[in-house]
Amino acid sequence: MENPNQNLSSPKEKFVKGFQKSLNDPQLRKNFRNASFALKSMRQTAFPDEAAFKELQELGHRIKMKALKNLGPLLRQLEQKCQEKGIQVHWAESTDEANQIVLEICQRNNAASVIKGKSMVTEEMHLNHFLEQHKIEAIETDLGEYIIQLDHETPSHIIAPAIHKDKKQIAQLFNDKIEGAGYTEVYEELNAIARKSLRKKFYKADVGITGVNFAIAETGTICLVENEGNGRMCSTLPPVHIAVMGMEKVIPTLEELPPLLTLLARSATGQPISTYFNMINSPRKEGEKDGPKEVHLVILDNRRSQIYQDEHLQKTLLCIRCGACLNHCPVYSRIGGHAYNQVYPGPIGKILAPQMNGLESTGGVHNASSLCGACGEVCPVKIPIPEILLRLRYEGVNKSRSSKVHEHGTQQNFKESMAWKFWEKIHASPVLYKTNSGLGNLLNSVMPKNAGPLKNWSEFREVPQFAAKSLHQLAREKGVADE
Amino acid sequence: MKFPKKPDEIYFFGTCLIDMFYPDAGISAIQLIQKEQVKVIYPQEQTCCGQPAFNSGYRQEAQTVALQQIKLFPKKIPIVVPSSSCGAMMKHHYLDLFEDHWALESIKDFSERIIEFSQFLVHVLKIKMEDLGEPVELTWHAPCHALREMQIREEPKQLLQQLKNVKLIELEREHECCGFGGTFSIKFPEISKAMLSDKIDDISKTGASCVLSGDCGCLMNIEGGLKFQKKTMVGKHLASFLWERSNGKS
């Protein structure tokens, strides 16, 4: 896997270099701006009435919250129902365990090649890389995933993985990497090239691997949302289908599915419903002419159970992976997905990645937010992303042993703590505060503009001037009551 | 949202940014309210709502400073705040900050009395203003915390619509953040710059001579950017503008 930042030491440095690189790349800036504008408009069209959206959002929130509150029993019910119908269920605490489970299934079936439907959870596992180390070819079949796999990249968006590329870049890539493709910028022709190349892979694959959008506990049903039909091929053509899910994907009954599906498709791409919606209930039964002979469901924890233990932070697990928060984020739409150096970029990534992989190890991505709240506003299941960001900032400097957040307290540094202590002293004392703010004119002249915190401010902004008289003084002079 | 009836007196929480950098906005807001026959009480011991520390994760420090404010506003009367982000801190985030605090109930009482300036003018005072100024074209920057935390959508525009010589030209991406975000603007200057540059481009495109906002954080950021780029357009707090227009320059 190409990693231009591998020589840098700290995760923070990697993150900074990553976003600086994006910000200095006009092509990338343009691609993200156009794509996020398009996705935002499509969502807007799908939810024309704000009040109706809020009602549906509330319903989505309640459904997922209810499922989350009952997570343990629901997962056990799901396992039992699946097993009754011949779906083999596997539990993985870590991504290593999940990879091992997938590998064993592949090896038992003498698999040389695997086709994959789009799945973020397998990105969490770095499954493709792992399989290739074990001499199993893993081919992405979602068009966006296929494009980035050709270019040895990772997804830059959770539903539109190749969003960072425009038509011309894709045309060039196909021309360079696919034999006999030629150069074309016509969408239909580009699609046809990918389809032709992938079709052969579908026929010869030994195992199909997909993610899971929802798993229904009551019926043991694996639900897969997709637009290209590749997910259906991955789950029906090869003799073995492995579905991998994060443990938060389970919902109680089929009845809860329609509102969530409506929210997911509309929030993601503005579609009333996705082009394909697959409900997988069992392997091929006797007398049936198609479908896999084996269906496996791998349920992955990967620190989700740790996130689950905190009643506020567990709302991170409500996510249905629509990507709306990315499209509406003023930071993501400027720096793009790769800059974060995380599997999950954007607002959801800023709260999920630090909890999965550690506040320090993820480079402080949770700090890179202006807290504008656009993410929380559009989230179809009302995840309070800004509040969780604030909580993680607190956990970053919280050294208490009672904190359950991975790498809590690691963001505290002496200089910053002292600065806030100093700030506290001044603002908790009316006398000190008044002395300080009464020094307006003096502070204007002595505050260094090109050093300290003002340096970053003054590089592209004028430094604000302290007023000659504070509001405290003006209010006194005008005789405003002080009680 | 529920708003109180027009009271005889109110508290005014000026915010630290207004106190130090935009006192004119604070005094304009006070005078606009006084003109409507409402007594304004400005407790002189007030400092800051605690938001900078809270947003940076320093909750203990934020708590100490917040408690210092809360005790200064004991009467059961509205507390008017001329900043949506400080308002949101005190109205909503105090409930998180003091979630496990023994005094949570009295803090809730304080939080419930917080009302943002434009909402107070429109919904409580039901103010009617007369425009005494020359024709002017301006644009409005909607602060994120006004939109998404204080649920302020139309109020500032409703106030501006009362002024007959004022033409409001809306921004193309009115609901997008200007890139301030408090310490974010210092900790991530490059990202903040990219956001601010786009905002300034949008503001410039309107051709207006003035950009108004209801939050001095945004204003400081936008004005700083405008001045740095040597733009002629000025930034102003809504309160200063309304007072100027309805009362002549004070």
Side-chain angles (χ1 to χ4, degrees):
Chain A
M1 195 70 45
E2 189 184 59
N3 184 357
N5 298 327
Q6 61 193 356
N7 296 327
L8 290 158
S9 49
S10 79
K12 172 84 192 287
E13 281 171 330
K14 273 189 197 172
F15 177 42
V16 172
K17 291 282 171 213
F19 69 66
Q20 284 175 340
K21 188 171 161 238
S22 303
L23 290 169
N24 290 322
D25 181 344
Q27 176 72 53
L28 188 101
R29 294 279 305 270
K30 196 170 129 229
N31 294 351
F32 272 101
R33 202 186 173 103
N34 291 344
S36 76
F37 178 76
L39 286 164
K40 273 160 76 171
S41 319
M42 290 184 322
R43 178 192 168 276
Q44 187 62 40
T45 318
F47 292 120
D49 179 359
E50 200 184 323
F53 167 69
K54 288 207 158 137
E55 213 170 288
L56 192 58
Q57 184 191 38
E58 183 60 40
L59 181 61
H61 177 77
R62 272 200 246 137
I63 291 172
K64 285 291 285 184
M65 273 310 280
K66 196 179 126 202
L68 214 49
K69 291 289 170 210
N70 207 22
L71 188 59
L74 284 176
L75 284 170
R76 281 192 292 277
Q77 189 187 9
L78 175 70
E79 178 184 39
Q80 191 201 334
K81 288 289 159 189
C82 283
Q83 284 169 344
E84 280 171 20
K85 300 191 301 181
I87 296 174
Q88 300 174 50
V89 179
H90 312 261
W91 300 88
E93 195 179 332
S94 65
T95 54
D96 285 347
E97 277 182 38
N99 280 330
Q100 209 55 49
I101 292 165
V102 172
L103 179 66
E104 276 165 22
I105 299 168
C106 289
Q107 286 174 338
R108 204 164 52 236
N109 288 280
N110 299 315
S113 104
V114 159
I115 47 170
K116 283 186 69 209
K118 189 177 162 18
S119 147
M120 285 309 293
V121 75
T122 60
E123 293 290 333
E124 254 177 69
M125 295 153 59
H126 304 290
L127 177 63
N128 295 1
H129 184 63
F130 175 81
L131 289 177
E132 260 147 48
Q133 282 178 333
H134 291 86
K135 311 280 179 254
I136 297 171
E137 187 190 22
I139 300 136
E140 294 289 350
T141 63
D142 169 89
L143 181 58
E145 291 281 353
Y146 175 72
I147 291 166
I148 59 167
Q149 194 178 32
L150 279 179
D151 218 3
H152 305 290
E153 287 182 315
T154 53
S156 62
H157 188 290
I158 62 172
I159 64 148
I163 199 169
H164 56 288
K165 290 190 186 302
D166 75 355
K167 189 170 60 176
K168 284 186 178 157
Q169 290 169 305
I170 295 165
Q172 194 58 53
L173 180 71
F174 279 15
N175 183 54
D176 296 346
K177 299 276 173 85
I178 304 173
E179 222 182 289
Y183 185 94
T184 174
E185 290 179 17
V186 180
Y187 287 122
E188 289 77 6
E189 290 176 12
L190 286 167
N191 263 331
I193 293 167
R195 171 195 281 259
K196 198 176 148 202
S197 157
L198 280 170
R199 192 59 47 143
K200 292 176 233 157
K201 314 271 187 189
F202 279 122
Y203 289 137
K204 70 170 191 125
D206 305 300
V207 172
I209 300 178
T210 68
V212 175
N213 291 93
F214 307 100
I216 319 286
E218 183 192 40
T219 55
T221 306
I222 299 166
C223 303
L224 199 56
V225 176
E226 49 139 350
N227 273 324
E228 297 170 15
N230 64 311
R232 183 162 298 175
M233 303 241 261
C234 289
S235 58
T236 52
L237 276 181
V240 179
H241 171 214
I242 307 172
V244 190
M245 66 179 254
M247 58 187 250
E248 77 282 18
K249 296 282 182 188
V250 66
I251 57 171
T253 67
L254 280 171
E255 262 179 276
E256 275 117 348
L257 188 61
L260 292 177
L261 193 54
T262 300
L263 280 164
L264 174 57
R266 283 169 203 254
S267 301
T269 51
Q271 292 169 284
I273 188 168
S274 56
T275 317
Y276 290 83
F277 180 62
N278 309 286
M279 300 174 86
I280 298 153
N281 283 294
S282 74
R284 183 192 301 198
K285 288 181 197 149
E286 266 205 33
E288 286 181 343
K289 290 188 174 154
D290 57 10
K293 291 181 180 131
E294 281 180 28
V295 176
H296 299 265
L297 178 63
V298 181
I299 303 174
L300 174 67
D301 181 338
N302 192 23
R303 281 223 172 78
R304 285 168 172 83
S305 53
Q306 194 178 338
I307 299 172
Y308 184 71
Q309 287 177 35
D310 184 284
E311 66 166 321
H312 294 303
L313 296 176
Q314 70 170 214
K315 290 180 185 157
T316 310
L317 302 176
L318 296 173
C319 180
I320 55 172
R321 304 282 190 269
C322 70
C325 62
L326 278 66
N327 306 334
H328 289 74
C329 176
V331 174
Y332 174 87
S333 62
R334 285 179 178 81
I335 68 173
H338 289 148
Y340 296 83
N341 281 311
Q342 307 301 325
V343 169
Y344 297 98
I348 185 63
K350 282 183 216 180
I351 61 170
L352 187 54
Q355 296 186 74
M356 272 183 178
N357 302 320
L359 288 158
E360 179 70 13
S361 302
T362 45
V365 289
H366 60 290
N367 290 318
S369 165
S370 68
L371 300 169
C372 80
C375 48
E377 186 178 36
V378 297
C379 175
V381 287
K382 265 177 80 176
I383 301 174
I385 299 176
E387 281 80 2
I388 296 177
L389 284 169
L390 286 168
R391 171 69 190 282
L392 293 178
R393 290 183 186 186
Y394 165 66
E395 295 296 346
V397 297
N398 175 19
K399 294 211 170 209
S400 160
R401 283 190 183 187
S402 61
S403 172
K404 292 195 176 67
V405 179
H406 190 30
E407 297 181 354
H408 66 89
T410 49
Q411 306 266 292
Q412 200 187 77
N413 68 66
F414 181 74
K415 218 171 108 186
E416 201 177 313
S417 320
M418 286 312 286
W420 286 115
K421 275 279 162 236
F422 183 66
W423 173 90
E424 178 192 357
K425 286 275 166 290
I426 290 185
H427 291 85
S429 154
V431 178
L432 280 180
Y433 175 80
K434 235 178 258 182
T435 318
N436 184 52
S437 63
L439 294 176
N441 278 331
L442 180 64
L443 286 173
N444 282 334
S445 53
V446 299
M447 287 282 269
K449 304 276 187 287
N450 299 312
L454 282 182
K455 182 176 178 289
N456 285 347
W457 179 275
S458 64
E459 265 167 27
F460 56 96
R461 282 173 290 225
E462 287 282 313
V463 173
Q465 295 289 299
F466 283 89
K469 285 181 183 173
S470 68
L471 179 59
H472 281 77
Q473 284 170 286
L474 287 181
R476 262 199 313 275
E477 284 174 18
K478 301 234 176 215
V480 181
D482 167 23
E483 292 172 21
Chain B
M1 240 182 307
K2 274 174 101 179
F3 295 101
K5 283 205 178 87
K6 185 175 169 178
D8 294 331
E9 54 180 9
I10 59 126
Y11 280 124
F12 193 78
F13 184 82
T15 82
C16 61
L17 284 186
I18 283 194
D19 188 37
M20 290 184 281
F21 301 107
Y22 294 91
D24 174 66
I27 209 73
S28 297
I30 290 174
Q31 286 170 323
L32 275 163
I33 297 167
Q34 284 174 332
K35 206 177 158 192
E36 299 296 307
Q37 314 303 323
V38 175
K39 180 184 170 187
V40 176
I41 304 169
Y42 179 83
Q44 281 281 338
E45 297 210 328
Q46 58 180 283
T47 62
C48 166
C49 65
Q51 188 183 191
F54 179 71
N55 283 1
S56 302
Y58 288 83
R59 295 196 170 187
Q60 188 57 52
E61 291 77 359
Q63 270 200 6
T64 317
V65 171
L67 286 171
Q68 161 66 22
Q69 316 310 315
I70 292 165
K71 67 180 187 195
L72 301 173
F73 300 83
K75 286 195 206 177
K76 308 283 180 218
I77 54 174
I79 305 161
V80 178
V81 185
S83 155
S84 45
S85 106
C86 312
M89 175 68 196
M90 297 192 284
K91 198 169 186 69
H92 303 297
H93 296 293
Y94 274 12
L95 305 179
D96 279 341
L97 180 60
F98 292 103
E99 194 187 8
D100 303 319
H101 197 278
W102 60 269
L104 181 64
E105 282 312 305
S106 66
I107 289 160
K108 268 186 190 161
D109 167 72
F110 171 88
S111 292
E112 276 164 17
R113 287 185 284 125
I114 297 289
I115 178 164
E116 189 271 342
F117 164 74
S118 69
Q119 288 181 321
F120 183 73
L121 257 50
V122 171
H123 301 296
V124 182
L125 292 185
K126 300 185 170 56
I127 198 168
K128 292 280 171 281
M129 290 170 296
E130 197 192 334
D131 192 3
L132 303 173
E134 294 296 310
V136 65
E137 289 189 347
L138 51 78
T139 188
W140 168 254
H141 166 68
C144 295
H145 293 173
L147 290 169
R148 304 188 183 101
E149 296 193 326
M150 297 301 274
Q151 310 302 324
I152 299 164
R153 292 283 161 118
E154 293 306 316
E155 289 88 341
K157 291 180 187 174
Q158 286 167 0
L159 291 166
L160 292 170
Q161 276 159 8
Q162 292 188 19
L163 306 172
K164 63 178 191 307
N165 284 333
V166 172
K167 189 180 169 203
L168 175 72
I169 305 166
E170 292 188 348
L171 285 179
E172 197 182 320
R173 281 162 290 203
E174 188 185 302
H175 292 188
E176 195 176 82
C177 178
C178 69
F180 177 61
T183 48
F184 168 78
S185 61
I186 308 268
K187 285 188 176 172
F188 296 91
E190 299 94 339
I191 307 176
S192 176
K193 180 186 177 181
M195 290 158 73
L196 177 59
S197 304
D198 289 344
K199 186 56 75 183
I200 288 183
D201 288 349
D202 285 354
I203 292 172
S204 301
K205 266 188 236 160
T206 63
S209 61
C210 177
V211 52
L212 297 182
S213 191
D215 213 309
C216 287
C218 315
L219 212 50
M220 218 162 70
N221 185 43
I222 292 172
E223 258 201 298
L226 287 169
K227 284 184 187 158
F228 190 85
Q229 293 189 23
K230 309 266 183 265
K231 303 267 183 192
T232 52
M233 190 177 287
V234 294
K236 209 170 264 185
H237 191 283
L238 178 68
S240 302
F241 183 76
L242 293 179
W243 178 246
E244 265 172 43
R245 299 295 293 197
S246 62
N247 209 57
K249 281 234 177 210
S250 63

